[in-house]
């Protein structure tokens, strides 16, 4: 039977012999007794070795972060963290660790330099467990709702989300770019499969260095045939509710360790999300002290103010056409587009961007021209409007941003095992 530390902190294990692999989280050596905390993915347990035990000398050789196998008897002990303790019978050392470089109170920059080691901390472990639930929930949700999972290339010939954030690479002496979104490919694939999704990295050469921007991020995107902006918002809301509900059930211990107040997450599951038109969102921002004019773009700072007092996510919809890329379908007034940004509460802001797509050739050609884009670069995409176009909609969700908000982290870099930002390529 495979078991972990948290499985054995139970009465039915009391007095039984257990066999565990783990790392030494901390150690306190004494003349008569040596105590160490053994850590595995599930948790930590206190282990004790007495000077009369035959392995006492071996135990005294181990150091913090050494890797070991421990055999011993599990005992109830009120004084031990978690209420149980292992009395060590045998210890096998896999590797004695050199003096461990991470200590409490280290500066953040140092911790990011040592990310390969920092990932072992209980806090980072808890975040990564939540992240795992988020990813598996996305796949479960789409699978349960009849979507096909399908992939698009990472090397692409042109931009989706504007040239400013394109990463250029040398592709056999030609220019290629790293994809910003699967969307244009999705709009081709949606014609045969009708309900599709992907979970993949997207790349943005972000010049804006904020707490919510990465240069490489995980993007969960969906595209659906014969659906409107309204329909796709319903789907986004269902998806977010599904993920958060799963995290509340599966990661109760991790949320506790992260000191995450779960009231807000419960609201997300139980209350309907808000929907406001762009103009109303601008009014809301101004009521909260900003001085925005119609036409202002909403970035991290503005969204922080807009969402900090909300108790559920907010769909900010129908932006002025100038603020959004060419592919959004214009509304009847031609001044707005049928789009939605889903803003997370508690100051976090945009986690999803989506909407309805232009579905006729004339409008698409006009929009490409207005945006100063070269028709030639979009030939195959224009074809999709030549040969049986359909109404369709979709969205992209920043998975790292979602994890940051669910765990209420101060920076997106905490939500990713090895974050990539303009300043960080190592480790
Ligand atoms: O709003 P965006 O740019 O929309 C698109 O890329 C659409 N083509 C998606 C689609 O409709 N299929 O990006 C979608 C989401 C954002 O809401 C944000 O959560 C995340 O991707 N995102 C980033 N996350 C981290 N770092 C960055 N630099 C990000 N840029 C976007
Ligand atoms: Mg966006």
């Amino acid at each position: 039977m495979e078991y972990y530390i948290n499985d054995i902190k139970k009465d039915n294990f009391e007095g039984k012999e257990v066999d565990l692999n783990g790392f030494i989280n901390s150690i306190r050596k004494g003349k008569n007794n040596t105590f160490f905390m053994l850590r595995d993915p599930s948790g930590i347990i206190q282990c004790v070795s007495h000077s009369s035990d035959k392995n006492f000398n071996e135990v005294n050789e181990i150091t913090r972060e050494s890797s070991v196998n421990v055999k011993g008897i599990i005992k109830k002990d009120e004084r031990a963290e978690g209420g149980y303790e292992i009395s060590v019978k045998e210890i096998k050392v896999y590797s004695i660790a050199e003096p461990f470089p991470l200590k409490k109170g280290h500066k953040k920059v140092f911790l990011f330099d040592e990310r390969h080691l920092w990932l072992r901390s209980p806090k980072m472990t808890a975040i990564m467990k939540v992240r795992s639930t988020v990813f598996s929930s996305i796949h479960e949700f789409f699978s349960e709702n009849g979507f096909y999972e399908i992939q698009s290339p990472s090397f692409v010939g042109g931009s989706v989300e504007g040239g400013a954030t394109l990463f250029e690479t040398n592709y056999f002496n030609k220019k290629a770019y790293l994809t910003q979104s699967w969307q244009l490919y999705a709009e081709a694939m949606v014609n045969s499969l009708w309900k599709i999704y992907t979970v993949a990295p997207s790349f943005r050469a972000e010049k804006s260095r904020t707490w919510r921007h990465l240069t490489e991020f995980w993007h969960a995107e969906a595209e659906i045939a014969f659906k409107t902006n309204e329909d796709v918002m319903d789907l986004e809301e269902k998806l977010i509710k599904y993920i958060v509900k799963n995290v509340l059930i599966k990661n109760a211990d991790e949320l506790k360790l992260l000191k995450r107040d779960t009231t807000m997450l419960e609201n997300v599951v139980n209350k309907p999300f808000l929907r406001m038109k762009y103009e109303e969102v601008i009014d809301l921002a101004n009521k909260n002290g900003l001085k925005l004019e119609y036409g202002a773009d909403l970035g991290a700072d503005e969204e922080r103010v807009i969402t900090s007092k909300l108790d559920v996510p907010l769909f900010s919809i129908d932006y002025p056409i100038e603020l959004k890329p060419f592919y959004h379908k214009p509304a009847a007034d031609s001044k707005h587009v049928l789009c939605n940004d889903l803003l997370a509460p508690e100051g976090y802001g945009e986690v999803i961007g989506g909407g309805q797509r232009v579905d006729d050739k004339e409008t698409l050609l006009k929009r490409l021209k207005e945006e100063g884009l070269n028709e030639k670069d979009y030939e195959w995409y224009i074809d999709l409007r030549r040969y049986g176009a359909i109404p369709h909609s979709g969205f992209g969700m920043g998975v790292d941003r979602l994890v940051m908000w669910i765990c209420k982290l101060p920076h997106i870099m905490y939500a990713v095992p090895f974050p990539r930002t303009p300043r960080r390529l190592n480790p």
Side-chain angles (χ1 to χ4, degrees), residues 34-174:
T34 285
F35 291 92
F36 63 88
M37 303 300 282
L38 187 72
R39 185 187 73 235
D40 75 5
S42 76
I44 292 181
I45 192 162
Q46 176 168 294
C47 301
V48 59
S49 178
H50 304 287
S51 54
S52 54
D53 296 344
K54 71 175 192 315
N55 52 46
F56 189 67
N57 290 340
E58 274 168 278
V59 169
N60 275 335
E61 273 170 27
I62 56 178
T63 54
R64 185 178 161 209
E65 290 306 319
S66 294
S67 47
V68 296
N69 173 271
V70 172
K71 291 190 178 72
I73 307 294
I74 181 116
K75 291 193 173 137
K76 215 170 183 160
D77 189 327
E78 300 297 316
R79 291 161 304 174
E81 201 187 309
Y84 290 88
E85 172 182 272
I86 293 173
S87 174
V88 179
K89 277 179 70 182
E90 205 182 316
I91 187 157
K92 194 177 100 190
V93 173
Y94 292 112
S95 166
I96 295 284
E98 294 177 25
F100 197 60
L102 303 193
K103 293 187 180 67
K104 265 208 172 118
H106 267 308
K107 285 219 163 66
K108 281 192 196 98
V109 178
F110 175 79
L111 288 176
F112 281 113
D113 287 340
E114 303 291 329
R115 192 55 173 261
H116 52 296
L117 301 175
W118 184 22
L119 280 171
R120 295 181 192 183
S121 68
K123 190 175 163 186
M124 286 307 300
T125 306
I127 297 169
M128 293 305 125
K129 285 188 196 172
V130 172
R131 188 176 166 96
S132 172
T133 305
V134 169
F135 275 79
S136 60
S137 303
I138 294 169
H139 289 289
E140 271 167 38
F141 176 84
F142 282 116
S143 169
E144 282 173 17
N145 284 282
F147 282 71
Y148 295 101
E149 182 181 7
I150 187 96
Q151 294 75 30
S152 71
S154 293
F155 283 125
V156 296
S159 91
V160 201
E161 298 299 324
T165 62
L166 270 183
F167 261 117
E168 195 178 305
T169 63
N170 180 344
Y171 197 74
F172 306 108
N173 300 324
K174 270 191 273 183

Side-chain angles (χ1 to χ4, degrees), residues 14 70 74 128 137 167 185 258 339 366 377 403 408:
E14 215 195 333
V70 172
I74 181 116
M128 293 305 125
S137 303
F167 261 117
Y185 297 95
L258 295 167
C339 71
K366 182 167 168 269
D377 294 338
V403 173
K408 207 170 178 183

Side-chain angles (χ1 to χ4, degrees), residues 104 122-123 126-127 130 251-263 265 346 348 405-409:
K104 265 208 172 118
K123 190 175 163 186
I127 297 169
V130 172
N251 298 112
D253 291 347
E254 285 72 36
L255 294 173
K256 206 165 143 194
L257 187 144
L258 295 167
K259 301 193 175 79
R260 175 56 159 130
D261 173 8
T262 53
T263 329
L265 300 178
E346 301 176 281
Y348 283 92
W405 163 51
I406 291 177
C407 296
K408 207 170 178 183
L409 305 173

